[in-house]
Amino acid sequence: MTNPIPLVAPGFSIFDQNIPLAIAIVVVASFLFAGGSTIQHLAVSRSVDKTAENRSMGMGQIWDLVRNPRWLLGLATVATGASMHIVGLMMAPVTVVQPVGILAVPWAVLLAAKIHHFRPGRAIWGAVALTILGIVVFTLFSASTAAPDTELPPTRIIVASLIVFAVGGILGYLGRFGSPAIRCLMWASGGSFFYGLSSAMVKTVSELVRSGNFLGRPLFWTVAAFLLVCYLVGGFMVQQGYANGPAEIVVGSMTTTDPIVAVTFGLAVLGEGVRLGWTDAVGMLISGAVAVGGVVILSKYHPEAQHNQIATRAAEARDEAAREEAARDGAAEELERQ
């Protein structure tokens, strides 16, 4: 049974379904996530060469970050938000809770505007509005069809998890190529697949714990191992995203791709889509595509992305001038030899 807000009753458990309270908790978590991500981006951006064609960090740079007080502050902030998010997942279906995290996008834009002293233009706010609109509609569809109970089919859970691992790994590989904006988007999207799966794993673990005698079930330990991999690999990819682009793009990608992955997993694997009709499915597909489109636009028109494009063109012009000068020198030397 769904309990109302506030919950001040004997026998309260965070495993009791309480959708309104879960959403309220995740709203606060989204602000903490945006703040922590912005702090981490500031730390990462100072540890990479912004003029390099590929800013991906090596393990030495990652180790330096682990000892950076500013990065650790960001990590603690993100961890606090993640903990609140986990509580929300325990109190409501993943198809309802996960999309609310998209609120981190406008938080991140506002924080970046304050820190870097720029005023977001219409294109940026339009991209943010498009992303939020898509996820809000997506959430309305998912919440209206959310199932009260969660299924735990071991085979489906394991196979689906491995598929998500593969897709996330491919996106991470693609993060090694292209412009900084593209690399940032690919790294962040790859990390988002792992983080989206981690939310589904948290929900699975909470259901196993609630069912009792969970320590004796192989599925519990398998899911726990998957969860650890998701946090480690996803965290690594997200830091690479910070190294290649602004926090807003990383946050926008994560809070869009992450819920889509988690919700899809919940619907298709955990049985939360038993009430889903074909019209609801089409609506979720369209609204999800709109949200992803908003993030892509944000990655294109963000001031840092514009600056990167200008810097890239300037570097290409310098390289071309150097090649032409070298060709002229070579031609002059050839004439002297003749």
Side-chain angles (χ1 to χ4, degrees):
M1 182 179 72
T2 302
N3 296 316
I5 293 179
L7 265 179
V8 187
F12 164 66
S13 170
I14 59 174
F15 294 109
D16 293 336
Q17 189 174 93
N18 187 322
I19 291 178
L21 182 56
I23 291 176
I25 290 172
V26 177
V27 168
V28 177
S30 70
F31 177 77
L32 293 174
F33 176 70
S37 298
T38 302
I39 294 171
Q40 284 192 316
H41 174 255
L42 290 174
V44 172
S45 63
R46 295 184 179 183
S47 66
V48 297
D49 181 5
K50 292 187 177 182
T51 64
E53 182 179 355
N54 191 335
R55 306 178 196 169
S56 300
M57 296 183 293
M59 293 309 298
Q61 290 170 298
I62 295 291
W63 176 243
D64 289 339
L65 282 178
V66 173
R67 297 177 294 175
N68 185 313
R70 173 175 288 181
W71 186 86
L72 290 174
L73 174 62
L75 178 64
T77 306
V78 169
T80 302
S83 299
M84 296 181 67
H85 193 88
I86 288 172
V87 173
L89 284 168
M90 292 179 176
M91 301 173 66
V94 66
T95 50
V96 175
V97 170
Q98 203 66 15
V100 180
I102 195 66
L103 291 175
V105 176
W107 293 135
V109 170
L110 291 173
L111 288 171
K114 182 70 174 177
I115 292 171
H116 300 296
H117 307 291
F118 74 86
R119 179 174 296 178
R122 292 183 178 179
I124 293 178
W125 283 122
V128 170
L130 199 63
T131 301
I132 293 176
L133 175 64
I135 288 297
V136 166
V137 174
F138 190 97
T139 304
L140 290 175
F141 278 113
S142 64
S144 64
T145 59
D149 300 311
T150 300
E151 299 175 3
L152 300 173
T155 301
R156 285 214 309 264
I157 290 174
I158 293 172
V159 171
S161 298
L162 294 176
I163 292 173
V164 174
F165 282 171
V167 175
I170 291 171
L171 289 171
Y173 176 76
L174 294 177
R176 297 167 57 87
F177 310 99
S179 66
I182 294 298
R183 289 198 297 270
C184 174
L185 189 60
M186 290 298 101
W187 277 118
S189 298
S192 300
F193 264 79
F194 283 94
Y195 277 161
L197 180 60
S198 73
S199 296
M201 296 294 96
V202 167
K203 183 63 177 179
T204 303
V205 167
S206 69
E207 292 297 320
L208 288 169
V209 172
R210 183 167 64 174
S211 66
N213 193 30
F214 59 94
L215 293 176
R217 300 181 65 174
L219 180 61
F220 172 81
W221 297 106
T222 302
V223 170
F226 283 172
L227 184 59
L228 179 62
V229 171
C230 287
Y231 281 139
L232 291 177
V233 178
F236 173 80
M237 288 188 173
V238 167
Q239 300 309 311
Q240 301 289 5
Y242 291 144
N244 285 279
E248 300 93 296
I249 294 179
V250 177
V251 171
S253 177
M254 291 180 64
T255 53
T256 303
T257 307
D258 178 328
I260 290 175
V261 171
V263 169
T264 302
F265 196 98
L267 292 174
V269 181
L270 301 182
E272 294 180 0
V274 292
R275 299 178 179 177
L276 188 68
W278 71 269
T279 53
D280 301 310
V282 172
M284 291 174 69
L285 182 64
I286 295 174
S287 57
V290 168
V292 172
V295 175
V296 173
I297 294 173
L298 181 62
S299 70
K300 181 179 180 180
Y301 290 102
H302 187 276
E304 184 168 331
Q306 300 278 333
H307 174 74
N308 288 336
Q309 292 175 8
I310 294 173
T312 299
R313 287 195 292 267
E316 290 175 350
R318 288 194 299 269
D319 292 342
E320 181 64 25
R323 285 193 295 269
E324 290 177 355
E325 184 177 355
R328 286 194 299 269
D329 292 342
E333 291 176 0
E334 182 66 23
L335 288 174
E336 290 177 1
R337 285 195 296 269
Q338 292 177 357

